[in-house]
Amino acid sequence: MNPTATVILAVVIVVALAAAAFAGRSILRRRHLQTRFGPEYDRAVEQYGDRREAERNLVDRERRHNELKLEPLDPAAREQYATEWTEVQERFVDAPDDAVQAADELISRLMRERGYPTGAHDKRMELLSVEHGHTLNHYRQAHEIARRSEAGQAETEDLRQAMIHHRALFDDLLGQPYRPRRSEGTRTAPPTGATDPTDTAGAPRTTGSTRNERTDAWQADQDAKGPRLDTTKPETR
């Protein structure tokens, strides 16, 4: 082989290797973004109408998210938030509109304590999508129902769905599945007739003859609430 042909062949090989490396990095980045953002990845592609542009936006979200100083909640704070959520659910029975508003305010306060900005709605959603993309659409739907509620266009069933959607992100931010710890001496039964709006079966069951048995039955009813929210995140590789 003459020197010119050798040089050409070498250049072709180098270009091919570079192209393969670039394609490999693109595939790995895409898989990373799809895993981390979940359904928000497809939403971004649909929003921008171009996969590369969407991926650039998602990478920018990651960068801005990494600049946040996010803090985990200590056990006492987690316990307090879980208790407040139960109180909000109990308010739903008599004042569903107020309960949905209170749930939204509780989530905003939880976000702020974790270190998320709570300013412009779109920016807030973008930053939440980095770690909570698998539950963020629930929050988006709850926000829409709340908007309709303010305009007097939401029925009670709509508001119940809003509570279900709110709970998905609330649990995710809190680090659920999580239940406040109760010792034998500090257990308290839920108020008579209290209904968890996330329970499609209606009022909680109260089987059991003792106070603790009734409480355990009520707690089991919460665990069996429906519809179930699949907030499981795929393992990041």
Side-chain angles (χ1 to χ4, degrees), residues 159-179:
L159 297 172
R160 189 185 70 82
Q161 290 296 324
M163 290 294 292
I164 293 174
H165 291 312
H166 270 317
R167 181 162 186 169
L169 180 62
F170 177 82
D171 285 356
D172 206 15
L173 286 166
L174 201 61
Q176 296 282 41
Y178 174 77
R179 300 289 178 189

Side-chain angles (χ1 to χ4, degrees), residues 87-104:
E87 294 170 353
V88 169
Q89 288 184 159
E90 291 169 357
R91 289 172 57 183
F92 185 89
V93 179
D94 298 317
D97 288 280
D98 291 345
V100 171
Q101 180 64 32
D104 186 71

Side-chain angles (χ1 to χ4, degrees), residues 33-44:
L33 293 174
Q34 289 173 331
T35 298
R36 181 153 203 186
F37 286 90
E40 290 298 309
Y41 176 92
D42 293 330
R43 182 181 178 84

Side-chain angles (χ1 to χ4, degrees), residues 29 40 43 45 56 65 75 84 94 108 112 127 150 152 158 163-164 170 177 182 197 217 222 231:
R29 184 179 73 168
E40 290 298 309
R43 182 181 178 84
V45 172
R56 280 194 292 269
H65 182 273
E84 289 187 50
D94 298 317
S108 294
R112 186 162 50 248
L127 291 172
E150 291 176 356
D158 296 324
M163 290 294 292
I164 293 174
F170 177 82
R182 296 191 304 268
Q222 313 311 298
T231 59

Side-chain angles (χ1 to χ4, degrees), residues 177-205:
Y178 174 77
R179 300 289 178 189
R181 290 174 308 215
R182 296 191 304 268
S183 66
E184 287 296 318
T186 59
R187 287 184 175 182
T188 57
T192 302
T195 303
D196 181 349
T198 64
D199 179 7
T200 57
R205 294 183 294 273

